[in-house]
Amino acid sequence: MGAMNYEELQARARVMKALSSPVRLKIVEELDKGERCICELQPLFRMNKSTLSRHVAALRHVGIVGERREGVKCMLRLLTPCVLNMCECAMGVIRAEARRQTDLASGGKADET
Amino acid sequence: MGAMNYEELQARARVMKALSSPVRLKIVEELDKGERCICELQPLFRMNKSTLSRHVAALRHVGIVGERREGVKCMLRLLTPCVLNMCECAMGVIRAEARRQTDLASGGKADET
DNA sequence: TTTCTTAGTTGCATAGTTGCGCAACTATGC
DNA sequence: GCATAGTTGCGCAACTATGCAACTAAGAAA
């Protein structure tokens, strides 16, 4: 991955930011199971529907989620299942850090994913 | 990747958040080339060293970056090169979205504005 | 030793951003 | 008309990014 200009870095940062909320990650996780409308997502969260709508909008805005109108509902789906890889990578970081903490406690050295 | 509890989602969100800034992404990009101290990173940004120090701290805090003291300097390095995969994934999302925009513009499928 | 220099961190103040609920709105269908 | 599904404007509280200045840490010089 070569040197990037600032616009590219910003674009990437926007994608990361869209995924930097547990609520939005949970939405992604749910949509991975299949299409859902917001009204189906709502019972999974105890928050105002306007707030949930904004979280979904954030994901739509960067192109992670797409919508298809079906009567009164907006059916949502993942446009880029690639984001699941990102989640896996994030887990890698978390596991590596956890390992480091453990190894620190038991005297050893740790590294890498 | 099975259903996750809220703590796991939060942990992932923290990793994403650490990468949700163009400055921090650039730091990661630079550290991918090899160890660097903050004083070597500084010329790449036109910001106060305290601000840069805080960006680095954010990356250290989630376990993306580690440090090794060498005299007066703190040599920084990527602990989890896995984050580069995340960046690649983010590029995938960006490219997919760009493609969608292009298809829309050239009178493709959807209606939209 | 003490002082000086370089590298980095931290407290504080400020400007800007985000997340949230509430209420009002649009849009679709009955 | 009414009901359901979503969006949007507004205001507030919490958080983030930033620069400045003061600080610590380590080595070099006097």
Side-chain angles (χ1 to χ4, degrees):
Chain A
M1 192 167 354
M4 314 237 305
N5 62 35
Y6 202 70
E7 283 74 34
E8 289 174 308
L9 288 168
Q10 277 182 317
R12 283 207 225 169
R14 272 193 298 272
V15 174
M16 298 291 189
K17 189 164 220 161
L19 295 170
S20 72
S21 141
V23 171
R24 295 193 287 273
L25 287 176
K26 192 167 176 178
I27 293 171
V28 167
E29 188 185 46
E30 190 65 20
L31 291 182
D32 183 41
K33 301 179 194 163
E35 278 195 336
R36 299 280 191 280
C37 63
I38 292 188
C39 59
E40 286 171 307
L41 296 177
Q42 231 182 311
L44 302 176
F45 303 93
R46 55 181 186 358
M47 56 171 47
N48 198 283
K49 66 174 179 172
S50 69
T51 302
L52 185 52
S53 169
R54 274 183 255 252
H55 279 293
V56 169
L59 292 170
R60 263 197 288 109
H61 206 249
V62 294
I64 292 174
V65 161
E67 64 182 346
R68 173 177 64 85
R69 199 128 195 152
E70 192 174 272
V72 203
K73 302 179 183 176
C74 282
M75 298 310 288
L76 306 169
R77 72 180 198 287
L78 287 186
L79 290 181
T80 50
C82 175
V83 292
L84 298 170
N85 295 5
M86 294 181 65
C87 291
E88 264 309 329
C89 291
M91 283 311 287
V93 174
I94 293 160
R95 276 191 293 264
E97 176 65 7
R99 218 175 308 128
R100 238 181 327 270
Q101 296 297 338
T102 310
D103 291 0
L104 256 182
S106 61
K109 282 179 70 175
D111 221 347
E112 307 293 293
T113 299
Chain B
M1 193 168 350
M4 314 244 307
N5 62 36
Y6 201 70
E7 282 76 33
E8 288 174 308
L9 289 168
Q10 277 182 318
R12 282 206 227 168
R14 272 194 297 272
V15 174
M16 298 291 190
K17 187 163 221 163
L19 295 170
S20 72
S21 142
V23 172
R24 293 192 288 272
L25 288 176
K26 192 168 177 179
I27 293 171
V28 167
E29 188 187 45
E30 190 64 18
L31 291 183
D32 183 40
K33 301 179 194 162
E35 280 194 335
R36 297 282 189 279
C37 63
I38 293 188
C39 58
E40 285 171 310
L41 296 176
Q42 231 183 309
L44 302 175
F45 303 92
R46 54 170 189 12
M47 57 172 47
N48 197 282
K49 66 175 179 169
S50 69
T51 303
L52 185 53
S53 168
R54 273 182 254 253
H55 280 292
V56 169
L59 292 170
R60 265 196 289 109
H61 204 250
V62 295
I64 292 174
V65 162
E67 64 184 344
R68 173 177 66 83
R69 202 128 194 155
E70 190 174 273
V72 204
K73 302 179 183 176
C74 281
M75 298 310 289
L76 306 169
R77 71 182 202 285
L78 287 187
L79 290 181
T80 50
C82 176
V83 294
L84 297 170
N85 295 5
M86 293 180 66
C87 291
E88 264 309 329
C89 291
M91 283 312 287
V93 173
I94 293 160
R95 278 190 291 265
E97 175 65 7
R99 221 176 303 128
R100 243 183 321 275
Q101 296 295 340
T102 309
D103 291 359
L104 264 178
S106 61
K109 341 137 182 221
D111 15 313
E112 300 288 293
T113 300

